[in-house]
Amino acid sequence: MPAQATLLQFFKQS
Amino acid sequence: MFEARLVQGALLKKILEAIKDLLTEASWDCAQGGIQLQAMDNSHVSLVSLTLRSDGFDKYRCDRNLTMGMNLASMTKIMKCCGNDEIITMKAQDEPDTVTFMFESKNGDKISEYEMKLMNLDQDHLGIPETDYACVIKMPSGEFARICRDLSQFGESMVIACSKNGIKFSTSGDIGTGNVKLAQTSSVDKEEEAVIIEMQEPVTLTFACKYLNNFAKATPLSPVVSLSLSPDVPLVVEYKIEDIGYVRYYLAPKIED
């Protein structure tokens, strides 16, 4: 089963 | 001082309907160029990015940049007091503690004013890189909403597979499986009824249905939705808002561990 990623894995916090 | 008047007040009501189930609270950043809102849902899986340009308002004044943190459930209560054909004006002082929503009937006979307390919100702004997406799909927003609704009956996840031949949405669960294939439209009279695919390379990604269903609440804002996909990056679902701006939703994919 694929796991849900979060946006923080892709986008930098600024 | 800040003041923004929108004759088509129903637009703001629709915008709120499109974001209030994903976000409990959000900051509305007001500047001379317009209003922007960027916020993630509590689980950090999806993000709403809203832009309303100042030139899309019937009157717009913003002397100093300001950030208004709003509880969206409270804002929804206030927006319910606004008739669909009423004119909305948002007003605030510089460094405000409150925002005022004024609703005017078309003939000016009735004016309602609601003042809402603002909140100090911690801002988690994300830098979203410019991306050239492998596939960009434009399709009727009503069709997208229906596919999300239909397929989410079967499972929690939906696979979106885009190739030059078309798009396939599929799901599976305890009761069985379902899929919907859409071919690229060859010729149409109305552009908003077309399915258009711009593809650099085929993409297949898996997403949680519940977020897609939430995004589809923006359907009343636009007859067309665009889906931008690239391998292993968040999906972008965009609804243009007439001549004033857009709402974009970003959704992190489900990925193999």
Side-chain angles (χ1 to χ4, degrees), chain B residues 12-13 27 30 69 90 103 129 134 144 158 184 187 195 224 232 234:
Chain B
L12 193 61
K13 292 177 61 129
S27 288
C30 306
M90 290 168 72
F103 308 140
F144 177 65
M158 186 193 298
Q184 173 147 230
S187 69
V195 175
V224 176
D232 297 321

Side-chain angles (χ1 to χ4, degrees), chain B residues 7-11 13-14 79 82-87 106:
Chain B
V7 171
Q8 265 189 286
L11 273 184
K13 292 177 61 129
K14 288 179 192 170
M79 284 298 150
C82 175
N84 279 330
D85 55 353
E86 289 183 340
I87 300 160
K106 275 275 183 295

Side-chain angles (χ1 to χ4, degrees), chain B residues 26-53:
Chain B
S27 288
W28 299 68
D29 294 320
C30 306
Q32 272 195 335
I35 302 174
Q36 290 199 307
L37 176 157
Q38 194 209 76
M40 281 188 286
D41 74 286
N42 282 335
S43 56
H44 295 179
V45 169
S46 71
L47 178 141
V48 177
S49 173
L50 169 73
T51 290
L52 302 173
R53 292 184 302 271

Side-chain angles (χ1 to χ4, degrees), chain B residues 97-113:
Chain B
D97 305 317
T98 62
V99 58
T100 299
F101 294 95
M102 184 174 82
F103 308 140
E104 284 170 79
S105 62
K106 275 275 183 295
N107 61 15
D109 285 354
K110 178 185 168 192
I111 294 177
S112 327
E113 273 196 345

Side-chain angles (χ1 to χ4, degrees), chain A, chain B residues 44-47 124-127 232 252-255 257:
Chain A
M1 274 291 280
Q4 177 65 62
T6 72
L7 291 174
L8 305 174
Q9 292 168 248
F10 302 95
F11 300 149
K12 279 198 182 128
Q13 222 149 347
S14 57
Chain B
H44 295 179
V45 169
S46 71
L47 178 141
D124 265 347
H125 265 272
L126 291 185
D232 297 321
K254 292 195 169 188
I255 49 181
D257 285 331

